[in-house]
Amino acid sequence: MTKVLLTGGAGFIGSHTCLALLEEGLSVGVLDDFSNGSPEALRRVAELAGLGALRQESPGRWSTGDSGPADLTLLRGDVRCPGDLDRAFADGIGAVLHFAGLKAVGESVAQPLRYWDVNVTGSLRLLEAMGRHGCRTLVFSSSATLYGSTDRVPIPETAPLQPINPYGYTKAAVERMLADVAASSPGWRIARLRYFNPVGAHPSGRLGEDPSGSPNNLFPYLCQVAAGRRPRLDVFGGDWPTPDGTGVRDYLHVMDLAEGHRRALAVLEAEPPQLLTLNLGSGSGHSVLDLVRAFETTNGLAVPFSVVGRRPGDSAVSIADPQEAERRMGWRTRRSLADICRDGWAWQSANPGGFGEGESSLDG
């Protein structure tokens, strides 16, 4: 197939998926403004995929050049900017994996307009650009946050959508937009992947989650506490209606998630045009304290924590029913909670400063 564009491909999930696609021999372009991603992540992706070095071709553009069946191009740009999108599509894009967006629940409560602008306006501009360039295949990075507080556990795709925070509202709005676009004219191939809690890192220790500033998500914060970068882990709420009082989530390894995106793209390419909606999760729930104990046991480390008040926008339990993903794509998680904890710590311990120390390795 022709080149695949990853918006937000320098971020946590995007970079791991980029590697999975390159290892399949695909040609990949990345559009990212580096607001919560690093060009160094893509340099390492190219290295792990056995490609040539990423070299600067022009201001804001890097490429591995003609390095074989697979190649990688990186473009600095904003998904809300039509000009940046047109530059990305000039490479002959046949499909898009849309990761670009903001993703922190608590931050969305404090900055709702920013979330609506980046997540919804960015998706609108992307769809307009796809229309201009005749590209009609899209895999969208959606979220289990859409389900909000629900009594149905595990949660199937048919569960009502009832988001309880601005982040979830923006994901619901984009999903509605995609449904409307798919119904507006024939030929659209769209997958909406609702994934639960991506964690872990690439087992090499070369690629992982490196959030800008203070982490908004549990696992990178836990890793930074274990590394001594932060004094303790704040556990938000010890009075949830769960066995130990802490929130229960469905944690899935980021490499399982990356493989899910690869499978979804393959299904869209092989089958007639459709709107496909799938949960990506393990189907198993673990509390925050379960995760802390598993991390301590797997890595032989102590993680100090304090239970504090609930965080606005959170829910008690969120566990996927992933049966439809297995039926439609043959996909299921293959990695355990211990694998998550081991690989996440391998990344953190090998990269105490995240990607920052390698920023200068990209030419220019």
Side-chain angles (χ1 to χ4, degrees):
M1 65 175 294
T2 50
K3 198 161 194 167
V4 180
L5 174 65
L6 274 62
T7 68
F12 174 46
I13 301 168
S15 60
H16 287 78
T17 303
C18 182
L19 177 58
L21 296 177
L22 291 170
E23 290 177 338
E24 284 287 297
L26 297 179
S27 177
V28 179
V30 169
L31 177 69
D32 203 297
D33 66 1
F34 307 139
S35 60
N36 199 27
S38 169
E40 170 64 11
L42 275 301
R43 189 196 70 80
R44 296 188 187 189
V45 163
E47 173 190 285
L48 290 166
L51 305 181
L54 270 172
R55 300 190 180 280
Q56 191 168 36
E57 296 182 338
S58 60
R61 181 185 173 92
W62 298 263
S63 175
T64 57
D66 185 12
S67 54
D71 65 85
L72 174 61
T73 301
L74 170 60
L75 182 68
R76 183 193 295 269
D78 191 323
V79 74
R80 294 167 294 178
C81 176
D84 290 345
L85 287 164
D86 286 339
R87 284 193 296 142
F89 277 95
D91 285 339
I93 301 300
V96 177
L97 274 64
H98 182 29
F99 298 103
L102 303 173
K103 62 178 184 177
V105 168
E107 184 180 69
S108 77
V109 175
Q111 303 177 42
L113 294 182
R114 181 170 171 243
Y115 271 66
W116 279 91
D117 181 32
V118 174
N119 293 358
V120 179
T121 303
S123 299
L124 172 64
R125 295 288 173 256
L126 173 63
L127 287 165
E128 291 173 339
M130 292 179 69
R132 288 195 299 276
H133 294 273
C135 177
R136 294 198 167 200
T137 301
L138 173 68
V139 179
F140 173 56
S141 169
S142 194
S143 171
T145 309
L146 289 175
Y147 298 120
S149 297
T150 177
D151 294 331
R152 300 186 67 178
V153 178
I155 306 170
E157 290 87 352
T158 54
L161 302 188
Q162 44 193 17
I164 56 176
N165 54 64
Y167 168 63
Y169 300 145
T170 65
K171 289 295 185 181
V174 176
E175 282 211 6
R176 180 68 262 172
M177 189 189 308
L178 293 175
D180 291 344
V181 167
S184 68
S185 60
W188 283 94
R189 292 174 161 86
I190 297 174
R192 304 181 298 189
L193 302 184
R194 297 171 180 169
Y195 35 88
F196 282 63
N197 286 71
V199 285
H202 190 268
S204 67
R206 297 286 291 155
L207 201 61
E209 187 168 10
D210 182 25
S212 300
S214 179
N216 287 297
N217 295 323
L218 170 64
F219 193 75
Y221 207 112
L222 186 158
C223 288
Q224 291 186 11
V225 171
R229 292 175 61 184
R230 301 185 184 278
R232 71 179 189 279
L233 174 69
D234 287 337
V235 176
F236 294 106
D239 58 350
W240 294 104
T242 63
D244 64 16
T246 64
V248 171
R249 296 291 181 268
D250 186 334
Y251 298 102
L252 72 156
H253 198 294
V254 66
M255 291 308 301
D256 282 326
L257 182 57
E259 291 166 8
H261 285 83
R262 185 178 65 189
R263 295 279 187 91
L265 181 60
V267 167
L268 292 180
E269 290 291 327
E271 296 184 359
Q274 62 183 298
L275 177 64
L276 182 63
T277 303
L278 297 172
N279 286 336
L280 295 186
S282 70
S284 299
H286 300 280
S287 73
V288 173
L289 294 186
D290 287 338
L291 180 61
V292 171
R293 294 185 189 107
F295 188 93
E296 291 178 327
T297 300
T298 300
N299 298 309
L301 296 166
V303 179
F305 67 88
S306 295
V307 176
V308 298
R310 295 183 183 185
R311 183 173 55 180
D314 277 346
S315 60
V317 180
S318 181
I319 302 172
D321 179 347
Q323 293 183 79
E324 189 67 5
E326 183 171 8
R327 186 184 74 82
R328 293 290 284 107
M329 305 194 301
W331 176 90
R332 65 165 64 183
T333 57
R334 299 187 294 112
R335 297 162 179 88
S336 67
L337 193 62
D339 294 329
I340 286 168
C341 294
R342 183 193 63 246
D343 294 342
W345 178 241
W347 152 256
Q348 179 63 66
S349 56
N351 301 271
F355 289 117
E357 298 171 355
E359 290 281 358
S360 62
S361 58
L362 276 184
D363 296 343

